[in-house]
Amino acid sequence: MKLFLYYILAINLYGIFAMYSDKRKSQKGKWRTPENTLFTIASAFGALGIFIGMRLFRHKTKHNKFVIGIPLILVVQLFVFFKYIYKMI
């Protein structure tokens, strides 16, 4: 369980970093992180980090795919996470 929580923390920090990095690359006109990569991070229980990065850096907030998709993934992940925690108790 402890290892899983460390994983959750790490993947979400990575999600925030990925959004920050992609935002900076977009401002400099450099090669960007593919949207599929950002969704893969979100799907690997990093949706909270991606969501925080979206809000913190105002990045991908005009793309409906992100505005709707990331919160939807987050809700599903929270449901799964709390269902798993409840099962452990």
Side-chain angles (χ1 to χ4, degrees):
M1 180 64 177
K2 197 173 188 181
L3 185 62
F4 181 66
L5 292 176
Y6 286 138
Y7 168 77
I8 295 291
L9 177 63
I11 194 72
N12 281 288
L13 287 174
Y14 181 64
I16 292 170
F17 173 75
M19 292 302 279
Y20 169 78
S21 175
D22 193 48
K23 175 69 174 193
R24 294 296 163 235
K25 288 175 185 177
S26 72
Q27 291 172 333
K28 294 179 181 181
K30 293 186 175 181
W31 177 84
R32 306 277 305 278
T33 305
E35 290 183 351
N36 284 342
T37 302
L38 297 174
F39 271 101
T40 300
I41 295 167
S43 297
F45 278 90
L48 181 60
I50 295 290
F51 183 76
I52 289 170
M54 283 175 59
R55 298 293 175 222
L56 201 58
F57 308 118
R58 295 184 186 136
H59 189 51
K60 301 285 189 189
T61 56
K62 292 183 180 179
H63 299 262
N64 284 335
K65 182 177 4 178
F66 280 87
V67 172
I68 296 168
I70 297 299
L72 187 62
I73 293 170
L74 179 58
V75 167
V76 170
Q77 288 177 356
L78 287 172
F79 176 77
V80 169
F81 181 76
F82 285 112
K83 186 106 170 145
Y84 177 76
I85 295 295
Y86 180 73
K87 201 173 193 180
M88 295 293 290
I89 296 175

